[in-house]
Amino acid sequence: MSTVTTSIVTPDGPVLEADYEMVSCTAENGELGILPGHIPLVAPLKVSSVRLQIKGRTDYVAVSGGFLEVRPDRITILAQTAESAADIDVDRAEQAKKRAEKRLQDKQANLDQIRAEQALNRAINRLEVASHSR
Ligand code: ATP
């Protein structure tokens, strides 16, 4: 089966580069499944998981926002943060989730509520992706 070279990059450096048969991710507009030879595309991504399939295996990476760029021979994801499932510190994500939930219960300014919701979203996403770690 043909493959497409896929890289995930953050401001801290590259997180992953490998060949995959299919890459699925969650754009602001909905789910995308990218196969080799896909037409060029740029799409903003949600805080979500990127699922990368090769030879019956699926690798999972948690991304916090960013952009997907598709070219026929290459997929690039530029994300603010990205962690492979095995690299996620579950205790840290659980602590972040608790902190965010506590902040959401407190009556505070709107900005803090939005930031707490975003932090909660990131933590829930990391915990979901970490659950796929083998
Ligand atoms: P925290 O409050 O735990 O820092 P956060 O959502 O505010 O969580 P980010 O600002 O999104 O953290 O990320 C800061 C850096 O820490 C990034 O490099 C990110 O990849 C890393 N990171 C955040 N949470 C985790 C985690 N649970 N496991 C591994 N790396 C993490």
PDB file of all heavy atoms in Angstrom, residues 48-80:
ATOM      1  N   SER A  48      -7.076  18.014  19.733  1.00  0.00           N
ATOM      2  CA  SER A  48      -7.620  16.719  19.303  1.00  0.00           C
ATOM      3  C   SER A  48      -6.501  15.702  19.139  1.00  0.00           C
ATOM      4  O   SER A  48      -5.328  16.000  19.348  1.00  0.00           O
ATOM      5  CB  SER A  48      -8.336  16.903  17.958  1.00  0.00           C
ATOM      6  OG  SER A  48      -7.424  17.417  17.000  1.00  0.00           O
ATOM      7  N   SER A  49      -6.897  14.501  18.731  1.00  0.00           N
ATOM      8  CA  SER A  49      -5.902  13.465  18.465  1.00  0.00           C
ATOM      9  C   SER A  49      -5.665  13.363  16.972  1.00  0.00           C
ATOM     10  O   SER A  49      -6.591  13.519  16.176  1.00  0.00           O
ATOM     11  CB  SER A  49      -6.382  12.115  19.001  1.00  0.00           C
ATOM     12  OG  SER A  49      -7.562  11.713  18.337  1.00  0.00           O
ATOM     13  N   VAL A  50      -4.401  13.095  16.610  1.00  0.00           N
ATOM     14  CA  VAL A  50      -4.071  12.743  15.227  1.00  0.00           C
ATOM     15  C   VAL A  50      -3.859  11.235  15.230  1.00  0.00           C
ATOM     16  O   VAL A  50      -3.155  10.701  16.097  1.00  0.00           O
ATOM     17  CB  VAL A  50      -2.794  13.472  14.754  1.00  0.00           C
ATOM     18  CG1 VAL A  50      -2.455  13.075  13.321  1.00  0.00           C
ATOM     19  CG2 VAL A  50      -2.974  14.980  14.860  1.00  0.00           C
ATOM     20  N   ARG A  51      -4.548  10.536  14.324  1.00  0.00           N
ATOM     21  CA  ARG A  51      -4.433   9.069  14.243  1.00  0.00           C
ATOM     22  C   ARG A  51      -3.680   8.721  12.966  1.00  0.00           C
ATOM     23  O   ARG A  51      -4.080   9.145  11.870  1.00  0.00           O
ATOM     24  CB  ARG A  51      -5.814   8.418  14.214  1.00  0.00           C
ATOM     25  CG  ARG A  51      -6.537   8.388  15.552  1.00  0.00           C
ATOM     26  CD  ARG A  51      -7.334   9.647  15.828  1.00  0.00           C
ATOM     27  NE  ARG A  51      -8.445   9.844  14.928  1.00  0.00           N
ATOM     28  CZ  ARG A  51      -9.020  11.012  14.663  1.00  0.00           C
ATOM     29  NH1 ARG A  51      -8.567  12.141  15.206  1.00  0.00           N
ATOM     30  NH2 ARG A  51     -10.038  11.087  13.850  1.00  0.00           N
ATOM     31  N   LEU A  52      -2.598   7.971  13.115  1.00  0.00           N
ATOM     32  CA  LEU A  52      -1.719   7.690  11.977  1.00  0.00           C
ATOM     33  C   LEU A  52      -1.658   6.177  11.780  1.00  0.00           C
ATOM     34  O   LEU A  52      -1.217   5.447  12.684  1.00  0.00           O
ATOM     35  CB  LEU A  52      -0.328   8.266  12.256  1.00  0.00           C
ATOM     36  CG  LEU A  52      -0.318   9.757  12.656  1.00  0.00           C
ATOM     37  CD1 LEU A  52       0.172   9.925  14.095  1.00  0.00           C
ATOM     38  CD2 LEU A  52       0.557  10.577  11.720  1.00  0.00           C
ATOM     39  N   GLN A  53      -2.108   5.708  10.614  1.00  0.00           N
ATOM     40  CA  GLN A  53      -2.217   4.267  10.384  1.00  0.00           C
ATOM     41  C   GLN A  53      -1.138   3.735   9.449  1.00  0.00           C
ATOM     42  O   GLN A  53      -0.852   4.339   8.405  1.00  0.00           O
ATOM     43  CB  GLN A  53      -3.593   3.959   9.793  1.00  0.00           C
ATOM     44  CG  GLN A  53      -4.717   4.114  10.808  1.00  0.00           C
ATOM     45  CD  GLN A  53      -6.079   4.055  10.158  1.00  0.00           C
ATOM     46  OE1 GLN A  53      -6.809   5.034  10.184  1.00  0.00           O
ATOM     47  NE2 GLN A  53      -6.422   2.922   9.569  1.00  0.00           N
ATOM     48  N   ILE A  54      -0.548   2.612   9.886  1.00  0.00           N
ATOM     49  CA  ILE A  54       0.445   1.939   9.046  1.00  0.00           C
ATOM     50  C   ILE A  54       0.441   0.452   9.406  1.00  0.00           C
ATOM     51  O   ILE A  54       0.497   0.096  10.580  1.00  0.00           O
ATOM     52  CB  ILE A  54       1.864   2.570   9.226  1.00  0.00           C
ATOM     53  CG1 ILE A  54       2.884   1.919   8.304  1.00  0.00           C
ATOM     54  CG2 ILE A  54       2.354   2.538  10.652  1.00  0.00           C
ATOM     55  CD1 ILE A  54       2.859   2.442   6.890  1.00  0.00           C
ATOM     56  N   LYS A  55       0.354  -0.400   8.391  1.00  0.00           N
ATOM     57  CA  LYS A  55       0.449  -1.861   8.570  1.00  0.00           C
ATOM     58  C   LYS A  55      -0.418  -2.363   9.724  1.00  0.00           C
ATOM     59  O   LYS A  55       0.067  -3.105  10.596  1.00  0.00           O
ATOM     60  CB  LYS A  55       1.907  -2.259   8.795  1.00  0.00           C
ATOM     61  CG  LYS A  55       2.772  -2.014   7.564  1.00  0.00           C
ATOM     62  CD  LYS A  55       4.209  -2.420   7.795  1.00  0.00           C
ATOM     63  CE  LYS A  55       5.038  -2.113   6.569  1.00  0.00           C
ATOM     64  NZ  LYS A  55       6.453  -1.984   6.821  1.00  0.00           N
ATOM     65  N   GLY A  56      -1.658  -1.938   9.786  1.00  0.00           N
ATOM     66  CA  GLY A  56      -2.576  -2.445  10.799  1.00  0.00           C
ATOM     67  C   GLY A  56      -2.398  -1.838  12.186  1.00  0.00           C
ATOM     68  O   GLY A  56      -3.125  -2.163  13.117  1.00  0.00           O
ATOM     69  N   ARG A  57      -1.420  -0.933  12.319  1.00  0.00           N
ATOM     70  CA  ARG A  57      -1.157  -0.283  13.606  1.00  0.00           C
ATOM     71  C   ARG A  57      -1.638   1.161  13.526  1.00  0.00           C
ATOM     72  O   ARG A  57      -1.607   1.761  12.452  1.00  0.00           O
ATOM     73  CB  ARG A  57       0.353  -0.320  13.837  1.00  0.00           C
ATOM     74  CG  ARG A  57       0.826   0.261  15.152  1.00  0.00           C
ATOM     75  CD  ARG A  57       2.354   0.348  15.168  1.00  0.00           C
ATOM     76  NE  ARG A  57       2.800   1.653  14.680  1.00  0.00           N
ATOM     77  CZ  ARG A  57       3.878   1.841  13.924  1.00  0.00           C
ATOM     78  NH1 ARG A  57       4.625   0.831  13.529  1.00  0.00           N
ATOM     79  NH2 ARG A  57       4.200   3.070  13.549  1.00  0.00           N
ATOM     80  N   THR A  58      -2.105   1.716  14.648  1.00  0.00           N
ATOM     81  CA  THR A  58      -2.460   3.142  14.670  1.00  0.00           C
ATOM     82  C   THR A  58      -1.642   3.842  15.750  1.00  0.00           C
ATOM     83  O   THR A  58      -1.643   3.396  16.908  1.00  0.00           O
ATOM     84  CB  THR A  58      -3.963   3.346  14.966  1.00  0.00           C
ATOM     85  OG1 THR A  58      -4.731   2.622  14.003  1.00  0.00           O
ATOM     86  CG2 THR A  58      -4.342   4.826  14.890  1.00  0.00           C
ATOM     87  N   ASP A  59      -0.913   4.893  15.373  1.00  0.00           N
ATOM     88  CA  ASP A  59      -0.197   5.730  16.336  1.00  0.00           C
ATOM     89  C   ASP A  59      -1.072   6.941  16.651  1.00  0.00           C
ATOM     90  O   ASP A  59      -1.735   7.476  15.754  1.00  0.00           O
ATOM     91  CB  ASP A  59       1.144   6.202  15.750  1.00  0.00           C
ATOM     92  CG  ASP A  59       2.103   5.038  15.493  1.00  0.00           C
ATOM     93  OD1 ASP A  59       1.942   3.981  16.132  1.00  0.00           O
ATOM     94  OD2 ASP A  59       3.002   5.199  14.644  1.00  0.00           O
ATOM     95  N   TYR A  60      -1.064   7.352  17.907  1.00  0.00           N
ATOM     96  CA  TYR A  60      -1.896   8.478  18.342  1.00  0.00           C
ATOM     97  C   TYR A  60      -1.014   9.613  18.848  1.00  0.00           C
ATOM     98  O   TYR A  60      -0.072   9.371  19.618  1.00  0.00           O
ATOM     99  CB  TYR A  60      -2.838   8.044  19.481  1.00  0.00           C
ATOM    100  CG  TYR A  60      -3.931   7.102  19.055  1.00  0.00           C
ATOM    101  CD1 TYR A  60      -3.673   5.739  18.905  1.00  0.00           C
ATOM    102  CD2 TYR A  60      -5.213   7.571  18.787  1.00  0.00           C
ATOM    103  CE1 TYR A  60      -4.670   4.870  18.509  1.00  0.00           C
ATOM    104  CE2 TYR A  60      -6.221   6.695  18.385  1.00  0.00           C
ATOM    105  CZ  TYR A  60      -5.947   5.354  18.250  1.00  0.00           C
ATOM    106  OH  TYR A  60      -6.928   4.493  17.848  1.00  0.00           O
ATOM    107  N   VAL A  61      -1.330  10.827  18.447  1.00  0.00           N
ATOM    108  CA  VAL A  61      -0.604  12.010  18.924  1.00  0.00           C
ATOM    109  C   VAL A  61      -1.641  13.056  19.355  1.00  0.00           C
ATOM    110  O   VAL A  61      -2.592  13.341  18.607  1.00  0.00           O
ATOM    111  CB  VAL A  61       0.301  12.601  17.813  1.00  0.00           C
ATOM    112  CG1 VAL A  61       1.003  13.866  18.302  1.00  0.00           C
ATOM    113  CG2 VAL A  61       1.333  11.577  17.359  1.00  0.00           C
ATOM    114  N   ALA A  62      -1.461  13.601  20.556  1.00  0.00           N
ATOM    115  CA  ALA A  62      -2.336  14.686  21.032  1.00  0.00           C
ATOM    116  C   ALA A  62      -1.789  16.009  20.510  1.00  0.00           C
ATOM    117  O   ALA A  62      -0.593  16.288  20.690  1.00  0.00           O
ATOM    118  CB  ALA A  62      -2.369  14.698  22.560  1.00  0.00           C
ATOM    119  N   VAL A  63      -2.616  16.801  19.868  1.00  0.00           N
ATOM    120  CA  VAL A  63      -2.178  18.124  19.418  1.00  0.00           C
ATOM    121  C   VAL A  63      -3.078  19.207  20.023  1.00  0.00           C
ATOM    122  O   VAL A  63      -4.266  18.999  20.221  1.00  0.00           O
ATOM    123  CB  VAL A  63      -2.173  18.268  17.863  1.00  0.00           C
ATOM    124  CG1 VAL A  63      -1.129  17.359  17.243  1.00  0.00           C
ATOM    125  CG2 VAL A  63      -3.539  18.028  17.257  1.00  0.00           C
ATOM    126  N   SER A  64      -2.452  20.339  20.342  1.00  0.00           N
ATOM    127  CA  SER A  64      -3.214  21.490  20.829  1.00  0.00           C
ATOM    128  C   SER A  64      -3.239  22.523  19.719  1.00  0.00           C
ATOM    129  O   SER A  64      -2.302  23.302  19.556  1.00  0.00           O
ATOM    130  CB  SER A  64      -2.554  22.080  22.079  1.00  0.00           C
ATOM    131  OG  SER A  64      -2.584  21.145  23.120  1.00  0.00           O
ATOM    132  N   GLY A  65      -4.295  22.476  18.957  1.00  0.00           N
ATOM    133  CA  GLY A  65      -4.473  23.450  17.878  1.00  0.00           C
ATOM    134  C   GLY A  65      -3.428  23.301  16.791  1.00  0.00           C
ATOM    135  O   GLY A  65      -2.774  22.269  16.661  1.00  0.00           O
ATOM    136  N   GLY A  66      -3.283  24.325  15.979  1.00  0.00           N
ATOM    137  CA  GLY A  66      -2.298  24.294  14.911  1.00  0.00           C
ATOM    138  C   GLY A  66      -2.941  24.086  13.557  1.00  0.00           C
ATOM    139  O   GLY A  66      -4.165  24.215  13.401  1.00  0.00           O
ATOM    140  N   PHE A  67      -2.075  23.767  12.593  1.00  0.00           N
ATOM    141  CA  PHE A  67      -2.533  23.658  11.204  1.00  0.00           C
ATOM    142  C   PHE A  67      -2.078  22.356  10.575  1.00  0.00           C
ATOM    143  O   PHE A  67      -0.989  21.860  10.856  1.00  0.00           O
ATOM    144  CB  PHE A  67      -1.976  24.812  10.359  1.00  0.00           C
ATOM    145  CG  PHE A  67      -2.703  26.095  10.597  1.00  0.00           C
ATOM    146  CD1 PHE A  67      -2.300  26.950  11.606  1.00  0.00           C
ATOM    147  CD2 PHE A  67      -3.803  26.437   9.830  1.00  0.00           C
ATOM    148  CE1 PHE A  67      -2.981  28.129  11.845  1.00  0.00           C
ATOM    149  CE2 PHE A  67      -4.484  27.610  10.054  1.00  0.00           C
ATOM    150  CZ  PHE A  67      -4.080  28.461  11.068  1.00  0.00           C
ATOM    151  N   LEU A  68      -2.931  21.857   9.689  1.00  0.00           N
ATOM    152  CA  LEU A  68      -2.602  20.713   8.850  1.00  0.00           C
ATOM    153  C   LEU A  68      -2.294  21.255   7.459  1.00  0.00           C
ATOM    154  O   LEU A  68      -3.062  22.066   6.922  1.00  0.00           O
ATOM    155  CB  LEU A  68      -3.820  19.796   8.776  1.00  0.00           C
ATOM    156  CG  LEU A  68      -3.823  18.732   7.678  1.00  0.00           C
ATOM    157  CD1 LEU A  68      -2.889  17.586   8.052  1.00  0.00           C
ATOM    158  CD2 LEU A  68      -5.248  18.215   7.466  1.00  0.00           C
ATOM    159  N   GLU A  69      -1.160  20.842   6.895  1.00  0.00           N
ATOM    160  CA  GLU A  69      -0.867  21.181   5.505  1.00  0.00           C
ATOM    161  C   GLU A  69      -0.672  19.886   4.732  1.00  0.00           C
ATOM    162  O   GLU A  69       0.179  19.058   5.097  1.00  0.00           O
ATOM    163  CB  GLU A  69       0.405  22.045   5.398  1.00  0.00           C
ATOM    164  CG  GLU A  69       0.652  22.474   3.967  1.00  0.00           C
ATOM    165  CD  GLU A  69       2.060  23.016   3.725  1.00  0.00           C
ATOM    166  OE1 GLU A  69       3.000  22.638   4.426  1.00  0.00           O
ATOM    167  OE2 GLU A  69       2.200  23.813   2.787  1.00  0.00           O
ATOM    168  N   VAL A  70      -1.469  19.708   3.682  1.00  0.00           N
ATOM    169  CA  VAL A  70      -1.386  18.488   2.877  1.00  0.00           C
ATOM    170  C   VAL A  70      -0.832  18.834   1.507  1.00  0.00           C
ATOM    171  O   VAL A  70      -1.323  19.767   0.852  1.00  0.00           O
ATOM    172  CB  VAL A  70      -2.781  17.843   2.695  1.00  0.00           C
ATOM    173  CG1 VAL A  70      -2.661  16.557   1.873  1.00  0.00           C
ATOM    174  CG2 VAL A  70      -3.432  17.560   4.037  1.00  0.00           C
ATOM    175  N   ARG A  71       0.187  18.082   1.118  1.00  0.00           N
ATOM    176  CA  ARG A  71       0.645  18.087  -0.278  1.00  0.00           C
ATOM    177  C   ARG A  71       0.605  16.638  -0.749  1.00  0.00           C
ATOM    178  O   ARG A  71       0.580  15.730   0.083  1.00  0.00           O
ATOM    179  CB  ARG A  71       2.068  18.669  -0.373  1.00  0.00           C
ATOM    180  CG  ARG A  71       2.066  20.182  -0.196  1.00  0.00           C
ATOM    181  CD  ARG A  71       3.463  20.760  -0.339  1.00  0.00           C
ATOM    182  NE  ARG A  71       4.162  20.774   0.932  1.00  0.00           N
ATOM    183  CZ  ARG A  71       5.477  20.687   1.069  1.00  0.00           C
ATOM    184  NH1 ARG A  71       6.253  20.557   0.002  1.00  0.00           N
ATOM    185  NH2 ARG A  71       6.040  20.714   2.252  1.00  0.00           N
ATOM    186  N   PRO A  72       0.600  16.393  -2.061  1.00  0.00           N
ATOM    187  CA  PRO A  72       0.394  15.008  -2.515  1.00  0.00           C
ATOM    188  C   PRO A  72       1.391  14.016  -1.916  1.00  0.00           C
ATOM    189  O   PRO A  72       1.033  12.877  -1.639  1.00  0.00           O
ATOM    190  CB  PRO A  72       0.578  15.120  -4.036  1.00  0.00           C
ATOM    191  CG  PRO A  72       0.194  16.515  -4.354  1.00  0.00           C
ATOM    192  CD  PRO A  72       0.651  17.348  -3.180  1.00  0.00           C
ATOM    193  N   ASP A  73       2.625  14.456  -1.673  1.00  0.00           N
ATOM    194  CA  ASP A  73       3.654  13.528  -1.185  1.00  0.00           C
ATOM    195  C   ASP A  73       4.014  13.755   0.277  1.00  0.00           C
ATOM    196  O   ASP A  73       4.933  13.124   0.791  1.00  0.00           O
ATOM    197  CB  ASP A  73       4.928  13.683  -2.032  1.00  0.00           C
ATOM    198  CG  ASP A  73       5.492  15.098  -1.929  1.00  0.00           C
ATOM    199  OD1 ASP A  73       4.712  16.028  -1.582  1.00  0.00           O
ATOM    200  OD2 ASP A  73       6.694  15.285  -2.168  1.00  0.00           O
ATOM    201  N   ARG A  74       3.309  14.668   0.951  1.00  0.00           N
ATOM    202  CA  ARG A  74       3.737  15.032   2.304  1.00  0.00           C
ATOM    203  C   ARG A  74       2.594  15.647   3.113  1.00  0.00           C
ATOM    204  O   ARG A  74       1.825  16.445   2.592  1.00  0.00           O
ATOM    205  CB  ARG A  74       4.887  16.053   2.203  1.00  0.00           C
ATOM    206  CG  ARG A  74       5.597  16.244   3.477  1.00  0.00           C
ATOM    207  CD  ARG A  74       6.916  16.985   3.328  1.00  0.00           C
ATOM    208  NE  ARG A  74       7.524  16.957   4.654  1.00  0.00           N
ATOM    209  CZ  ARG A  74       8.397  16.042   5.039  1.00  0.00           C
ATOM    210  NH1 ARG A  74       8.812  15.135   4.204  1.00  0.00           N
ATOM    211  NH2 ARG A  74       8.869  16.050   6.268  1.00  0.00           N
ATOM    212  N   ILE A  75       2.533  15.258   4.401  1.00  0.00           N
ATOM    213  CA  ILE A  75       1.582  15.886   5.332  1.00  0.00           C
ATOM    214  C   ILE A  75       2.403  16.526   6.445  1.00  0.00           C
ATOM    215  O   ILE A  75       3.289  15.880   7.015  1.00  0.00           O
ATOM    216  CB  ILE A  75       0.620  14.839   5.935  1.00  0.00           C
ATOM    217  CG1 ILE A  75      -0.250  14.210   4.840  1.00  0.00           C
ATOM    218  CG2 ILE A  75      -0.255  15.465   7.024  1.00  0.00           C
ATOM    219  CD1 ILE A  75      -1.113  13.059   5.327  1.00  0.00           C
ATOM    220  N   THR A  76       2.124  17.781   6.724  1.00  0.00           N
ATOM    221  CA  THR A  76       2.810  18.467   7.821  1.00  0.00           C
ATOM    222  C   THR A  76       1.767  19.006   8.789  1.00  0.00           C
ATOM    223  O   THR A  76       0.792  19.641   8.366  1.00  0.00           O
ATOM    224  CB  THR A  76       3.661  19.649   7.293  1.00  0.00           C
ATOM    225  OG1 THR A  76       4.509  19.172   6.259  1.00  0.00           O
ATOM    226  CG2 THR A  76       4.493  20.267   8.399  1.00  0.00           C
ATOM    227  N   ILE A  77       1.975  18.737  10.065  1.00  0.00           N
ATOM    228  CA  ILE A  77       1.114  19.324  11.099  1.00  0.00           C
ATOM    229  C   ILE A  77       1.987  20.228  11.950  1.00  0.00           C
ATOM    230  O   ILE A  77       3.007  19.786  12.507  1.00  0.00           O
ATOM    231  CB  ILE A  77       0.429  18.226  11.939  1.00  0.00           C
ATOM    232  CG1 ILE A  77      -0.610  17.513  11.061  1.00  0.00           C
ATOM    233  CG2 ILE A  77      -0.229  18.824  13.186  1.00  0.00           C
ATOM    234  CD1 ILE A  77      -1.199  16.274  11.665  1.00  0.00           C
ATOM    235  N   LEU A  78       1.630  21.496  11.988  1.00  0.00           N
ATOM    236  CA  LEU A  78       2.326  22.484  12.823  1.00  0.00           C
ATOM    237  C   LEU A  78       1.416  22.748  14.010  1.00  0.00           C
ATOM    238  O   LEU A  78       0.321  23.306  13.838  1.00  0.00           O
ATOM    239  CB  LEU A  78       2.540  23.784  12.049  1.00  0.00           C
ATOM    240  CG  LEU A  78       3.399  23.697  10.793  1.00  0.00           C
ATOM    241  CD1 LEU A  78       3.240  24.957   9.957  1.00  0.00           C
ATOM    242  CD2 LEU A  78       4.855  23.483  11.185  1.00  0.00           C
ATOM    243  N   ALA A  79       1.836  22.315  15.186  1.00  0.00           N
ATOM    244  CA  ALA A  79       0.957  22.431  16.355  1.00  0.00           C
ATOM    245  C   ALA A  79       1.639  23.221  17.458  1.00  0.00           C
ATOM    246  O   ALA A  79       2.872  23.247  17.545  1.00  0.00           O
ATOM    247  CB  ALA A  79       0.611  21.042  16.866  1.00  0.00           C
ATOM    248  N   GLN A  80       0.834  23.872  18.300  1.00  0.00           N
ATOM    249  CA  GLN A  80       1.399  24.595  19.443  1.00  0.00           C
ATOM    250  C   GLN A  80       2.075  23.612  20.389  1.00  0.00           C
ATOM    251  O   GLN A  80       3.187  23.827  20.852  1.00  0.00           O
ATOM    252  CB  GLN A  80       0.281  25.373  20.154  1.00  0.00           C
ATOM    253  CG  GLN A  80       0.787  26.440  21.095  1.00  0.00           C
ATOM    254  CD  GLN A  80       1.730  27.434  20.408  1.00  0.00           C
ATOM    255  OE1 GLN A  80       1.430  27.927  19.333  1.00  0.00           O
ATOM    256  NE2 GLN A  80       2.875  27.706  21.018  1.00  0.00           N
TER     257      GLN A  80
END
